[in-house]
Amino acid sequence: MDRVCVLMLASGAAWESTALGLLTARPGIVVLKRCVDVNDLLAAATLGQAEVAVLALDAHGFDAAAVEHLRRHRVRPVAVAGALGAAPDTHLARARRIGVAAVVAEDELESLADAVLA
């Protein structure tokens, strides 16, 4: 299996350590960098070493322009949103509006690695 290199931006979210553990435990996934903010993530994306960015949907500065920057550098965004049971339409509508197709709820992190490899 080829490896998928991942950038991660959780902005200190409670799910970060769980997500990191799940991703690093999955064969074929390499977490290249944990980014401190959206600017750090976008700079890392320009290096061309990552295929996927796992990030908090509500990260400050994560918008349609950031998604376009990631896509321009061939990095597919996978957003982690608050528990979708709480406000699924709000999270999914925001993700669609800014161009993110893959959204994983923080209470369904066990599916995160599959979303990264999809």
XYZ file of all heavy atoms in Angstrom:
850
model
N 0.845 -1.190 0.000
C 0.000 0.000 0.000
C 0.880 1.239 0.000
O 1.863 1.318 0.723
C -0.883 -0.006 1.247
C -1.720 1.262 1.387
S -2.471 1.459 3.000
C -3.873 0.416 2.817
N 0.490 2.188 -0.802
C 1.197 3.465 -0.782
C 0.869 4.184 0.510
O -0.144 3.943 1.137
C 0.756 4.327 -1.971
C 1.240 3.765 -3.289
O 2.269 3.081 -3.288
O 0.574 4.012 -4.306
N 1.731 5.103 0.865
C 1.454 5.882 2.073
C 0.798 7.197 1.696
O 1.042 7.743 0.622
C 2.721 6.113 2.882
C 3.707 7.002 2.196
C 4.974 7.140 2.989
N 5.829 8.030 2.227
C 6.607 8.939 2.749
N 6.688 9.045 4.047
N 7.333 9.717 2.001
N -0.025 7.677 2.609
C -0.693 8.962 2.448
C -0.113 9.876 3.509
O -0.164 9.566 4.703
C -2.225 8.827 2.626
C -2.885 10.194 2.609
C -2.799 7.944 1.543
N 0.450 10.988 3.070
C 1.056 11.945 3.991
C 0.031 13.003 4.364
O -0.656 13.548 3.500
C 2.292 12.576 3.364
S 3.597 11.356 3.098
N -0.058 13.274 5.671
C -1.108 14.113 6.220
C -0.532 15.305 6.981
O 0.434 15.171 7.735
C -1.985 13.269 7.181
C -3.034 14.132 7.867
C -2.640 12.117 6.441
N -1.158 16.452 6.776
C -0.932 17.627 7.615
C -2.123 17.703 8.555
O -3.238 17.376 8.165
C -0.867 18.893 6.759
C 0.214 18.925 5.688
C 0.025 20.149 4.796
C 1.594 18.921 6.325
N -1.894 18.150 9.778
C -2.982 18.188 10.744
C -3.042 19.541 11.426
O -2.022 20.089 11.833
C -2.767 17.090 11.781
C -3.915 16.883 12.701
S -3.659 15.338 13.595
C -4.948 15.492 14.777
N -4.250 20.079 11.529
C -4.483 21.344 12.235
C -5.730 21.182 13.077
O -6.842 21.142 12.551
C -4.662 22.499 11.250
C -5.126 23.821 11.869
C -4.110 24.354 12.868
C -5.398 24.848 10.790
N -5.534 21.076 14.387
C -6.674 20.886 15.279
C -6.919 22.109 16.150
O -7.918 22.174 16.846
C -6.456 19.662 16.151
N -6.018 23.051 16.142
C -6.175 24.279 16.928
C -6.457 23.998 18.402
O -7.248 24.673 19.039
C -7.295 25.160 16.353
O -6.986 25.528 15.040
N -5.826 22.955 18.924
C -5.992 22.629 20.334
C -7.312 21.985 20.680
O -7.691 21.922 21.850
N -8.045 21.492 19.684
C -9.346 20.868 19.935
C -9.189 19.616 20.794
O -8.157 18.941 20.753
C -10.013 20.506 18.611
N -10.221 19.297 21.545
C -10.196 18.147 22.448
C -9.979 16.829 21.696
O -9.427 15.887 22.258
C -11.500 18.087 23.238
N -10.358 16.768 20.434
C -10.242 15.531 19.654
C -8.847 15.301 19.074
O -8.571 14.232 18.522
C -11.281 15.511 18.534
C -11.264 16.705 17.629
C -12.080 17.791 17.711
C -10.390 16.950 16.514
N -11.770 18.686 16.716
C -10.742 18.193 15.963
C -9.359 16.232 15.917
C -10.085 18.735 14.858
C -8.698 16.770 14.812
C -9.071 18.005 14.298
N -7.965 16.271 19.199
C -6.668 16.202 18.517
C -5.858 14.959 18.880
O -5.371 14.255 17.994
C -5.853 17.461 18.811
C -4.501 17.463 18.111
C -3.734 18.754 18.316
O -4.089 19.553 19.209
O -2.778 18.971 17.560
N -5.675 14.679 20.161
C -4.817 13.546 20.535
C -5.435 12.223 20.099
O -4.721 11.322 19.650
C -4.517 13.554 22.030
O -5.704 13.436 22.773
N -6.752 12.099 20.183
C -7.416 10.875 19.722
C -7.216 10.704 18.221
O -6.866 9.621 17.748
C -8.923 10.921 20.048
O -9.074 11.042 21.461
C -9.630 9.665 19.566
N -7.432 11.770 17.471
C -7.272 11.711 16.012
C -5.834 11.369 15.640
O -5.597 10.540 14.758
C -7.683 13.037 15.388
N -4.884 11.988 16.302
C -3.479 11.719 16.020
C -3.159 10.248 16.266
O -2.496 9.597 15.451
C -2.588 12.627 16.867
C -1.100 12.545 16.589
C -0.781 12.964 15.159
C -0.341 13.427 17.563
N -3.657 9.716 17.367
C -3.436 8.304 17.668
C -4.046 7.381 16.627
O -3.416 6.405 16.207
N -5.262 7.683 16.215
C -5.930 6.859 15.209
C -5.207 6.911 13.865
O -5.070 5.892 13.183
C -7.382 7.322 15.035
C -8.318 7.018 16.197
C -9.621 7.791 16.037
C -8.589 5.527 16.309
N -4.751 8.086 13.492
C -4.072 8.226 12.204
C -2.711 7.546 12.208
O -2.352 6.860 11.256
C -3.929 9.699 11.831
C -5.239 10.426 11.515
C -4.979 11.902 11.283
C -5.951 9.797 10.325
N -1.938 7.750 13.259
C -0.591 7.159 13.288
C -0.632 5.642 13.460
O 0.320 4.961 13.075
C 0.281 7.798 14.382
O -0.350 7.627 15.651
C 0.517 9.270 14.109
N -1.722 5.113 14.003
C -1.851 3.665 14.177
C -2.252 2.962 12.880
O -2.092 1.749 12.760
C -2.882 3.361 15.264
N -2.743 3.715 11.926
C -3.243 3.118 10.680
C -2.113 2.943 9.677
O -1.460 3.921 9.279
C -4.323 4.018 10.092
C -4.983 3.478 8.855
C -5.899 2.293 9.199
N -6.694 1.927 8.071
C -7.950 2.315 7.882
N -8.555 3.063 8.765
N -8.586 1.927 6.808
N -1.854 1.701 9.248
C -0.832 1.486 8.220
C -1.165 2.296 6.966
O -2.322 2.386 6.566
C -0.912 -0.011 7.940
C -1.505 -0.598 9.178
C -2.473 0.450 9.686
N -0.140 2.896 6.392
C -0.324 3.664 5.167
C -0.547 5.141 5.385
O -0.597 5.900 4.429
N -0.698 5.568 6.649
C -0.875 6.988 6.941
C 0.329 7.500 7.721
O 0.718 6.909 8.721
C -2.163 7.256 7.746
C -3.396 6.867 6.927
C -2.246 8.726 8.161
C -4.713 7.024 7.671
N 0.890 8.588 7.237
C 2.009 9.244 7.915
C 1.597 10.681 8.205
O 1.245 11.420 7.288
C 3.285 9.243 7.039
C 4.400 10.018 7.704
C 3.710 7.822 6.715
N 1.600 11.061 9.478
C 1.311 12.450 9.834
C 2.633 13.206 9.736
O 3.537 12.997 10.539
C 0.696 12.574 11.241
C 0.477 14.044 11.598
C -0.620 11.809 11.317
N 2.746 14.047 8.716
C 3.989 14.785 8.472
C 4.193 15.916 9.463
O 5.309 16.158 9.911
C 3.984 15.404 7.076
C 4.214 14.502 5.898
C 4.148 15.300 4.611
C 5.541 13.798 6.003
N 3.098 16.629 9.760
C 3.251 17.826 10.578
C 1.943 18.166 11.262
O 0.877 18.047 10.675
C 3.674 19.012 9.695
C 3.891 20.287 10.466
C 4.398 21.421 9.587
C 4.613 22.630 10.486
N 5.151 23.741 9.798
N 2.060 18.593 12.501
C 0.937 19.186 13.227
C 1.132 20.694 13.129
O 2.086 21.245 13.662
C 0.943 18.715 14.673
C 0.613 17.237 14.790
C 0.868 16.697 16.159
N -0.078 17.235 17.135
C -0.001 16.988 18.429
N 0.967 16.232 18.910
N -0.876 17.508 19.249
N 0.235 21.343 12.430
C 0.369 22.772 12.157
C -0.244 23.594 13.296
O -1.191 23.159 13.941
C -0.307 23.104 10.837
S 0.371 22.156 9.448
N 0.297 24.793 13.510
C -0.163 25.625 14.622
C -1.345 26.508 14.249
O -2.125 26.888 15.110
C 0.981 26.486 15.218
C 2.061 25.604 15.808
C 1.555 27.428 14.189
N -1.475 26.850 12.967
C -2.596 27.678 12.517
C -2.779 27.485 11.016
O -2.033 26.740 10.377
C -2.388 29.152 12.884
C -1.125 29.761 12.305
O -0.587 29.247 11.289
O -0.654 30.769 12.856
N -3.779 28.137 10.479
C -4.079 27.968 9.053
C -2.914 28.427 8.185
O -2.582 27.778 7.187
C -5.398 28.689 8.673
C -5.588 28.722 7.171
C -6.586 27.998 9.332
N -2.268 29.518 8.531
C -1.125 29.989 7.735
C -0.008 28.950 7.702
O 0.606 28.728 6.651
C -0.601 31.316 8.270
C -1.549 32.457 7.961
O -2.317 32.399 7.013
N -1.495 33.501 8.775
N 0.257 28.311 8.837
C 1.265 27.251 8.909
C 0.854 26.079 8.025
O 1.663 25.519 7.287
C 1.434 26.826 10.370
C 2.583 25.855 10.593
O 3.558 25.873 9.811
O 2.510 25.088 11.580
N -0.427 25.723 8.063
C -0.947 24.635 7.234
C -0.775 24.953 5.749
O -0.303 24.124 4.974
C -2.428 24.406 7.542
C -3.144 23.392 6.654
C -2.755 21.981 7.034
C -4.642 23.577 6.745
N -1.148 26.158 5.353
C -1.045 26.535 3.943
C 0.399 26.571 3.474
O 0.702 26.156 2.350
C -1.741 27.875 3.710
C -3.245 27.894 4.028
C -3.826 29.277 3.763
C -3.997 26.816 3.277
N 1.299 27.040 4.324
C 2.720 27.044 3.973
C 3.232 25.616 3.810
O 3.965 25.312 2.860
C 3.517 27.788 5.042
N 2.846 24.728 4.721
C 3.274 23.335 4.634
C 2.722 22.671 3.376
O 3.395 21.843 2.756
C 2.850 22.582 5.889
N 1.512 23.032 2.987
C 0.896 22.448 1.792
C 1.687 22.788 0.529
O 1.735 21.995 -0.409
C -0.548 22.923 1.654
N 2.309 23.961 0.502
C 3.045 24.383 -0.696
C 4.287 23.536 -0.952
O 4.821 23.556 -2.056
C 3.468 25.864 -0.615
O 4.384 26.027 0.459
C 2.266 26.772 -0.433
N 4.737 22.796 0.053
C 5.935 21.974 -0.099
C 5.702 20.750 -0.972
O 6.651 20.122 -1.427
C 6.472 21.554 1.268
C 6.893 22.706 2.183
C 7.315 22.173 3.545
C 7.997 23.522 1.539
N 4.440 20.393 -1.199
C 4.128 19.289 -2.098
C 4.377 17.909 -1.518
O 4.452 16.940 -2.265
N 4.486 17.787 -0.209
C 4.772 16.486 0.406
C 3.534 15.795 0.955
O 3.578 14.619 1.267
C 5.802 16.657 1.517
C 7.124 17.167 1.007
C 8.101 17.465 2.140
O 7.701 17.766 3.255
N 9.374 17.378 1.835
N 2.439 16.520 1.116
C 1.236 15.956 1.715
C 0.124 15.822 0.689
O 0.036 16.604 -0.251
C 0.768 16.836 2.878
N -0.711 14.814 0.909
C -1.874 14.612 0.049
C -3.169 15.038 0.726
O -4.150 15.328 0.051
C -2.008 13.137 -0.348
C -0.940 12.645 -1.288
C 0.332 12.183 -0.569
O 0.278 11.738 0.583
O 1.398 12.294 -1.184
N -3.175 15.028 2.059
C -4.400 15.290 2.810
C -4.102 16.242 3.955
O -3.032 16.175 4.568
C -5.001 13.973 3.376
C -6.229 14.239 4.236
C -5.339 13.009 2.249
N -5.059 17.115 4.239
C -4.997 17.970 5.429
C -6.208 17.643 6.292
O -7.338 17.741 5.830
C -5.016 19.442 5.051
N -5.949 17.206 7.523
C -7.016 16.968 8.493
C -7.071 18.200 9.371
O -6.065 18.565 9.983
C -6.728 15.711 9.339
C -7.723 15.594 10.491
C -6.769 14.466 8.462
N -8.227 18.850 9.418
C -8.280 20.078 10.190
C -9.639 20.346 10.781
O -10.646 19.816 10.321
C -7.835 21.260 9.341
C -8.705 21.617 8.164
C -8.492 23.080 7.812
C -8.354 20.767 6.968
N -9.626 21.169 11.808
C -10.864 21.568 12.463
C -11.664 22.455 11.515
O -11.128 23.439 10.992
C -10.549 22.318 13.759
N -12.913 22.097 11.302
C -13.770 22.885 10.420
C -13.886 24.322 10.909
O -13.990 25.249 10.111
C -15.161 22.244 10.325
C -16.168 22.921 9.409
C -15.665 22.943 7.958
C -17.507 22.220 9.491
N -13.796 24.510 12.222
C -13.943 25.846 12.788
C -12.610 26.543 13.069
O -12.569 27.541 13.780
C -14.791 25.799 14.058
C -14.168 24.940 15.150
O -13.109 24.323 14.916
O -14.750 24.887 16.249
N -11.513 26.048 12.467
C -10.211 26.688 12.670
C -10.259 28.131 12.160
O -10.770 28.397 11.067
C -9.114 25.910 11.945
N -9.747 29.035 12.962
C -9.737 30.457 12.598
C -8.978 30.657 11.281
O -7.843 30.232 11.136
C -9.081 31.276 13.715
C -9.050 32.738 13.426
N -10.180 33.517 13.467
C -8.032 33.552 13.055
C -9.857 34.757 13.149
N -8.558 34.800 12.890
N -9.635 31.250 10.304
C -9.005 31.514 9.011
C -9.227 30.426 7.980
O -8.805 30.563 6.835
N -9.899 29.332 8.362
C -10.169 28.270 7.388
C -11.427 28.644 6.616
O -12.528 28.638 7.140
C -10.329 26.919 8.088
C -10.538 25.781 7.127
C -9.633 25.546 6.102
C -11.621 24.940 7.254
C -9.823 24.503 5.207
C -11.824 23.897 6.371
C -10.919 23.670 5.355
N -11.237 29.002 5.355
C -12.331 29.478 4.525
C -12.160 28.959 3.099
O -11.279 28.138 2.835
C -12.390 31.008 4.564
C -11.085 31.670 4.123
O -10.211 30.989 3.523
O -10.930 32.878 4.373
N -12.996 29.429 2.195
C -12.952 28.964 0.804
C -11.603 29.239 0.147
O -11.112 28.433 -0.644
C -14.081 29.597 0.005
N -10.982 30.376 0.478
C -9.667 30.689 -0.094
C -8.614 29.690 0.399
O -7.742 29.270 -0.372
C -9.254 32.115 0.275
N -8.706 29.294 1.652
C -7.767 28.300 2.191
C -7.972 26.949 1.505
O -7.001 26.263 1.150
C -7.937 28.175 3.702
N -9.231 26.574 1.288
C -9.531 25.316 0.606
C -8.983 25.362 -0.818
O -8.370 24.398 -1.295
C -11.053 25.032 0.604
C -11.389 23.841 -0.284
C -11.544 24.795 2.027
N -9.170 26.471 -1.502
C -8.646 26.610 -2.867
C -7.126 26.491 -2.887
O -6.546 25.860 -3.772
C -9.096 27.941 -3.473
C -8.543 28.210 -4.856
C -8.853 27.130 -5.880
O -9.910 26.476 -5.785
O -7.997 26.917 -6.775
N -6.455 27.099 -1.907
C -4.988 26.996 -1.801
C -4.574 25.536 -1.631
O -3.635 25.075 -2.302
C -4.494 27.840 -0.621
C -3.021 27.780 -0.422
N -2.151 28.666 -1.019
C -2.246 26.920 0.293
C -0.913 28.367 -0.678
N -0.948 27.308 0.122
N -5.263 24.819 -0.757
C -4.938 23.399 -0.554
C -5.122 22.628 -1.854
O -4.234 21.862 -2.258
C -5.825 22.801 0.543
C -5.579 23.300 1.964
C -6.640 22.760 2.908
C -4.177 22.920 2.439
N -6.229 22.839 -2.516
C -6.492 22.116 -3.770
C -5.460 22.455 -4.856
O -5.046 21.578 -5.621
C -7.891 22.414 -4.271
C -8.964 21.829 -3.399
C -10.320 21.933 -4.085
N -11.408 21.708 -3.162
C -11.753 20.537 -2.670
N -11.078 19.475 -2.991
N -12.781 20.432 -1.841
N -5.073 23.711 -4.915
C -4.069 24.123 -5.900
C -2.757 23.364 -5.690
O -2.025 23.096 -6.636
C -3.862 25.631 -5.816
C -3.088 26.214 -6.967
C -3.096 27.737 -7.028
N -2.961 28.417 -5.745
C -3.931 29.094 -5.133
N -5.129 29.184 -5.664
N -3.697 29.692 -3.984
N -2.500 22.994 -4.445
C -1.277 22.249 -4.120
C -1.543 20.760 -3.942
O -0.717 20.037 -3.379
C -0.613 22.869 -2.884
C -0.093 24.236 -3.163
N 1.067 24.463 -3.858
C -0.611 25.458 -2.900
C 1.260 25.762 -3.986
N 0.243 26.389 -3.424
N -2.709 20.331 -4.436
C -3.100 18.915 -4.453
C -3.157 18.289 -3.065
O -2.738 17.148 -2.853
C -2.194 18.118 -5.382
C -2.320 18.622 -6.793
C -1.528 17.857 -7.754
N -1.729 18.501 -9.055
C -1.132 18.126 -10.138
N -0.307 17.122 -10.124
N -1.358 18.761 -11.259
N -3.687 19.057 -2.138
C -3.913 18.585 -0.777
C -5.424 18.592 -0.546
O -6.067 19.628 -0.660
C -3.199 19.486 0.263
C -3.512 19.020 1.678
C -1.691 19.494 0.013
N -5.970 17.419 -0.261
C -7.413 17.268 -0.076
C -7.776 17.530 1.381
O -7.251 16.882 2.283
C -7.831 15.852 -0.473
C -9.317 15.585 -0.358
C -9.669 14.215 -0.908
N -8.900 13.144 -0.318
C -9.258 12.486 0.784
N -10.361 12.787 1.419
N -8.502 11.512 1.231
N -8.674 18.468 1.651
C -9.065 18.733 3.027
C -10.079 17.720 3.552
O -11.019 17.347 2.847
C -9.690 20.128 2.955
C -10.206 20.241 1.561
C -9.285 19.414 0.700
N -9.835 17.268 4.784
C -10.789 16.444 5.524
C -11.047 17.207 6.814
O -10.143 17.381 7.627
C -10.231 15.041 5.821
C -11.203 14.261 6.708
C -9.955 14.280 4.527
N -12.272 17.692 6.970
C -12.590 18.518 8.130
C -13.178 17.672 9.256
O -13.942 16.746 9.014
C -13.575 19.607 7.735
N -12.801 18.040 10.474
C -13.423 17.450 11.663
C -14.328 18.524 12.241
O -13.891 19.647 12.498
C -12.368 16.997 12.692
C -13.057 16.452 13.945
C -11.440 15.939 12.078
N -15.602 18.163 12.392
C -16.602 19.112 12.886
C -17.061 18.680 14.265
O -16.850 17.536 14.669
C -17.791 19.160 11.937
N -17.700 19.597 14.941
C -18.311 19.252 16.214
C -19.264 18.094 16.012
O -19.588 17.731 14.883
N -19.702 17.495 17.080
C -20.614 16.361 16.990
C -21.759 16.704 16.035
O -22.482 17.665 16.254
C -21.156 16.013 18.371
N -21.887 15.945 14.975
C -22.885 16.262 13.957
C -24.303 16.109 14.477
O -25.231 16.707 13.949
C -22.684 15.404 12.705
C -21.412 15.693 11.915
C -21.360 14.849 10.662
C -21.283 17.156 11.565
N -24.482 15.326 15.532
C -25.809 15.195 16.123
C -26.312 16.512 16.676
O -27.507 16.764 16.734
N -25.400 17.388 17.079
C -25.782 18.662 17.691
C -26.337 19.647 16.656
O -27.359 20.270 16.884
C -24.580 19.278 18.404
N -25.659 19.802 15.543
C -26.103 20.752 14.512
C -25.589 20.297 13.155
O -24.780 20.976 12.536
C -25.593 22.150 14.840
N -26.066 19.143 12.676
C -25.496 18.598 11.437
C -25.641 19.514 10.238
O -24.724 19.650 9.438
C -26.247 17.285 11.233
C -27.510 17.442 12.005
C -27.174 18.348 13.162
N -26.793 20.156 10.102
C -27.008 21.003 8.934
C -26.057 22.193 8.926
O -25.547 22.582 7.884
C -28.461 21.487 8.887
C -29.429 20.338 8.664
O -29.000 19.292 8.145
O -30.607 20.479 9.030
N -25.800 22.756 10.095
C -24.901 23.907 10.200
C -23.488 23.528 9.776
O -22.865 24.203 8.964
C -24.891 24.458 11.637
O -26.224 24.780 11.994
C -24.009 25.676 11.758
N -22.971 22.428 10.325
C -21.602 21.996 9.995
C -21.472 21.615 8.525
O -20.537 22.038 7.848
C -21.185 20.812 10.866
C -21.068 21.119 12.317
N -20.268 22.124 12.803
C -21.635 20.540 13.394
C -20.362 22.164 14.125
N -21.184 21.217 14.506
N -22.404 20.809 8.060
C -22.318 20.339 6.675
C -22.523 21.471 5.677
O -21.859 21.520 4.639
C -23.305 19.204 6.437
C -23.037 17.944 7.271
C -24.131 16.904 7.050
C -21.663 17.368 6.979
N -23.408 22.411 5.991
C -23.625 23.555 5.102
C -22.364 24.413 5.023
O -21.984 24.855 3.933
C -24.801 24.393 5.585
N -21.709 24.640 6.156
C -20.470 25.422 6.142
C -19.403 24.709 5.334
O -18.693 25.308 4.534
C -19.963 25.681 7.564
C -18.662 26.483 7.546
C -18.119 26.758 8.932
N -16.965 27.586 9.082
C -15.900 27.690 8.323
N -15.817 27.039 7.212
N -14.896 28.472 8.624
N -19.268 23.410 5.537
C -18.271 22.633 4.793
C -18.533 22.732 3.291
O -17.612 22.997 2.511
C -18.285 21.178 5.255
N -19.773 22.544 2.879
C -20.111 22.643 1.450
C -19.837 24.034 0.910
O -19.328 24.197 -0.193
C -21.582 22.279 1.230
C -21.830 20.804 1.089
C -23.210 20.498 0.542
N -24.289 21.012 1.357
C -24.818 20.404 2.408
N -24.388 19.258 2.785
N -25.802 20.935 3.094
N -20.191 25.045 1.703
C -20.024 26.439 1.260
C -18.567 26.766 0.971
O -18.262 27.502 0.040
C -20.597 27.378 2.326
C -20.668 28.824 1.904
C -21.404 29.701 2.910
N -20.804 29.679 4.235
C -21.334 29.121 5.324
N -22.502 28.516 5.277
N -20.705 29.153 6.476
N -17.651 26.226 1.764
C -16.235 26.542 1.538
C -15.534 25.498 0.667
O -14.349 25.637 0.382
C -15.474 26.768 2.865
C -15.436 25.509 3.720
C -16.064 27.952 3.620
C -14.575 25.646 4.967
N -16.260 24.465 0.244
C -15.694 23.511 -0.705
C -15.081 22.259 -0.108
O -14.288 21.588 -0.754
N -15.472 21.890 1.110
C -14.945 20.678 1.741
C -15.978 19.568 1.599
O -17.099 19.695 2.071
C -14.628 20.911 3.237
C -14.172 19.624 3.902
C -13.577 21.998 3.383
N -15.585 18.484 0.943
C -16.510 17.376 0.719
C -16.471 16.357 1.861
O -17.480 15.745 2.177
C -16.183 16.693 -0.601
N -15.307 16.159 2.468
C -15.156 15.135 3.506
C -15.229 15.776 4.887
O -14.400 16.611 5.239
C -13.828 14.415 3.335
N -16.241 15.368 5.648
C -16.425 15.880 7.004
C -16.633 14.694 7.937
O -17.452 13.822 7.662
C -17.639 16.825 7.112
C -17.812 17.336 8.532
C -17.507 17.980 6.136
N -15.878 14.686 9.035
C -16.005 13.650 10.050
C -16.404 14.339 11.349
O -15.800 15.343 11.730
C -14.662 12.897 10.235
C -14.748 11.901 11.378
C -14.256 12.212 8.937
N -17.405 13.792 12.009
C -17.832 14.351 13.289
C -16.834 13.965 14.374
O -16.292 12.859 14.356
C -19.217 13.829 13.658
N -16.599 14.874 15.310
C -15.628 14.562 16.365
C -16.063 13.388 17.215
O -15.224 12.722 17.826
C -15.319 15.784 17.221
C -16.449 16.269 18.074
C -16.025 17.449 18.939
O -16.066 18.584 18.461
O -15.651 17.210 20.096
N -17.353 13.063 17.244
C -17.797 11.891 17.995
C -17.826 10.626 17.132
O -18.295 9.576 17.562
C -19.158 12.137 18.655
C -20.262 12.496 17.669
O -19.943 12.749 16.477
O -21.419 12.542 18.084
N -17.272 10.715 15.915
C -17.160 9.565 15.016
C -15.743 9.454 14.458
O -15.536 9.097 13.302
C -18.175 9.689 13.880
C -19.611 9.678 14.350
C -20.611 9.860 13.224
O -20.198 10.022 12.053
O -21.814 9.852 13.518
N -14.756 9.775 15.297
C -13.362 9.807 14.837
C -12.846 8.458 14.345
O -11.875 8.422 13.586
C -12.446 10.327 15.945
C -12.515 11.820 16.201
C -11.611 12.198 17.375
C -12.127 12.617 14.970
N -13.497 7.372 14.745
C -13.040 6.066 14.272
C -13.115 5.966 12.754
O -12.442 5.135 12.154
C -13.807 4.927 14.945
C -15.288 4.895 14.658
C -16.128 5.845 15.509
O -15.617 6.489 16.440
O -17.335 5.953 15.211
N -13.880 6.840 12.100
C -13.964 6.829 10.632
C -12.971 7.799 9.977
O -12.907 7.880 8.748
C -15.382 7.163 10.183
O -15.711 8.493 10.506
N -12.178 8.495 10.773
C -11.263 9.506 10.228
C -10.218 8.898 9.298
O -9.974 9.410 8.203
C -10.584 10.284 11.356
C -9.625 11.378 10.927
C -10.346 12.445 10.080
C -8.973 12.032 12.155
N -9.585 7.810 9.697
C -8.551 7.200 8.846
C -9.125 6.761 7.515
O -8.488 6.928 6.471
C -7.881 6.033 9.587
N -10.347 6.218 7.523
C -10.985 5.830 6.261
C -11.217 7.040 5.380
O -11.026 6.974 4.158
C -12.314 5.114 6.529
C -12.120 3.738 7.159
O -11.048 3.132 6.970
O -13.046 3.282 7.848
N -11.630 8.157 5.979
C -11.851 9.387 5.199
C -10.538 9.894 4.606
O -10.506 10.390 3.481
C -12.489 10.461 6.086
N -9.448 9.752 5.349
C -8.133 10.181 4.860
C -7.705 9.305 3.678
O -7.168 9.809 2.695
C -7.090 10.126 5.998
C -5.667 10.204 5.448
C -7.342 11.249 6.987
N -7.961 8.024 3.765
C -7.521 7.098 2.717
C -8.481 7.039 1.526
O -8.119 6.506 0.478
C -7.356 5.686 3.292
C -6.223 5.539 4.302
C -6.254 4.153 4.930
C -4.880 5.823 3.659
N -9.677 7.601 1.656
C -10.681 7.536 0.572
C -10.212 8.279 -0.658
O -9.490 9.227 -0.601
C -12.000 8.122 1.059
